[in-house]
Amino acid sequence: MITLFPCLNDNYGFLLVEPESGLCATIDTPDGAQIAKELDRSGLTLTHIFNTHHHYDHVDGNLFLKEKYGAIIVGAQVDEKRIPGIDIALSDGEVFKFGAYDIQMIHTPGHTLGHCAYYVPDEKSVFVGDTIFVMGCGKIFEGTPAQMFDSIAKLAALPADTKVYCAHEYTVSNAAFAITIEPDNQDLQSAVKAAKTLRANGRPTIPTTIATEKRTNPFMRAKTAEKLAEIRAAKDRF
Ligand code: ZN
Ligand code: FE
């Protein structure tokens, strides 16, 4: 079971529960107090924290939540030094046994060098942090466009019906840019409308799916790393 709730200005908090064992994880810790409140409200005890990358809006609550619940912190081995309180360091492709669930770490460098996603086949879901957003992708702060291209390709290779949990609600502004890249893309036109309606009703646009992003996300649709670099640069100026 996955639940999401807004945190900070535009982040999402996510709780992942494996019902057989009752294990409960948060994906990233944008706001420790908010996550604790959500756990209380649902009568859950946190057992694990999975971090996608080291930016403060993804790890800020790590130590607070670890102290409060004794949660085990899981992150990318390449980012061992930058993930506060890390207990378990995973490498690309490694599977973490989360009760009856297998959680696969997918290294997705680009936004940061240590960035990773967590694929949960038992939930047909992937937590992608700041690698891709609905109709968008993360800023390339540390990696190269070629790395980001490869990372997005790894996500695109997941089953089409995989639900994609992005870490931020950036959809409406991403949509405004995406439509300038592919004005004639009808799937994109409908996605823009649908996103606006959801947001006007105060609802999240997340999760999306791999299939939807393949039809509508200009960054996932870029055929080469050069094209991705070009679109990313245009978005940075937008
Ligand atoms: Zn970030
Ligand atoms: Fe972020």
Side-chain angles (χ1 to χ4, degrees):
M1 187 192 69
I2 295 169
T3 52
L4 87 172
F5 48 95
C7 277
L8 308 178
N9 279 339
D10 52 32
N11 281 75
Y12 281 114
F14 306 105
L15 295 178
L16 168 70
V17 174
E18 192 281 279
E20 267 175 50
S21 59
L23 293 181
C24 172
T26 177
I27 315 306
D28 288 333
T29 60
D31 182 338
Q34 183 66 33
I35 293 166
K37 207 167 119 189
E38 205 58 36
L39 288 161
D40 274 358
R41 209 179 56 82
S42 317
L44 293 166
T45 301
L46 190 71
T47 58
H48 293 77
I49 295 169
F50 290 86
N51 287 122
T52 62
H53 65 298
H54 76 284
H55 285 158
Y56 84 95
D57 62 314
H58 299 260
V59 302
D60 192 47
N62 271 26
L63 298 181
F64 169 76
L65 293 169
K66 182 173 184 166
E67 166 90 351
K68 188 169 164 69
Y69 298 98
I72 295 164
I73 302 183
V74 183
Q77 199 188 348
V78 272
D79 247 359
E80 232 174 349
K81 302 255 171 349
R82 299 199 291 186
I83 302 292
I86 190 168
D87 297 296
I88 295 174
L90 302 178
S91 46
D92 186 32
E94 205 173 322
V95 171
F96 182 86
K97 292 274 176 204
F98 184 67
Y101 285 4
D102 284 342
I103 301 185
Q104 189 184 13
M105 186 276 219
I106 304 174
H107 185 211
T108 56
H111 180 68
T112 67
L113 289 174
H115 198 294
C116 65
Y118 294 98
Y119 176 43
V120 192
D122 303 281
E123 292 276 359
K124 287 178 179 291
S125 294
V126 64
F127 296 93
V128 298
D130 292 357
T131 301
I132 58 167
F133 299 114
V134 180
M135 293 177 259
C137 88
K139 280 196 177 147
I140 302 174
F141 285 123
E142 295 178 4
T144 62
Q147 282 177 318
M148 187 56 116
F149 181 81
D150 291 344
S151 296
I152 294 175
K154 284 185 185 172
L155 299 178
L158 295 174
D161 62 351
T162 305
K163 292 190 276 293
V164 179
Y165 289 88
C166 321
H168 291 268
E169 180 61 64
Y170 289 157
T171 306
V172 170
S173 67
N174 284 341
F177 171 75
I179 202 75
T180 68
I181 301 294
E182 294 193 47
D184 299 327
N185 179 336
Q186 290 187 2
D187 291 319
L188 180 55
Q189 291 165 4
S190 333
V192 173
K193 270 193 211 135
K196 281 186 186 156
T197 306
L198 282 170
R199 294 310 293 151
N201 294 315
R203 289 169 57 201
T205 60
I206 280 133
T208 178
T209 64
I210 293 294
T212 302
E213 293 313 300
K214 278 181 166 174
R215 289 196 301 265
T216 58
N217 187 324
F219 299 93
M220 190 173 268
R221 292 164 64 75
K223 295 234 166 25
T224 62
E226 291 69 32
K227 184 70 187 166
L228 175 75
E230 191 188 299
I231 304 174
R232 186 58 257 181
K235 175 70 165 68
D236 292 343
R237 291 189 303 264
F238 186 68

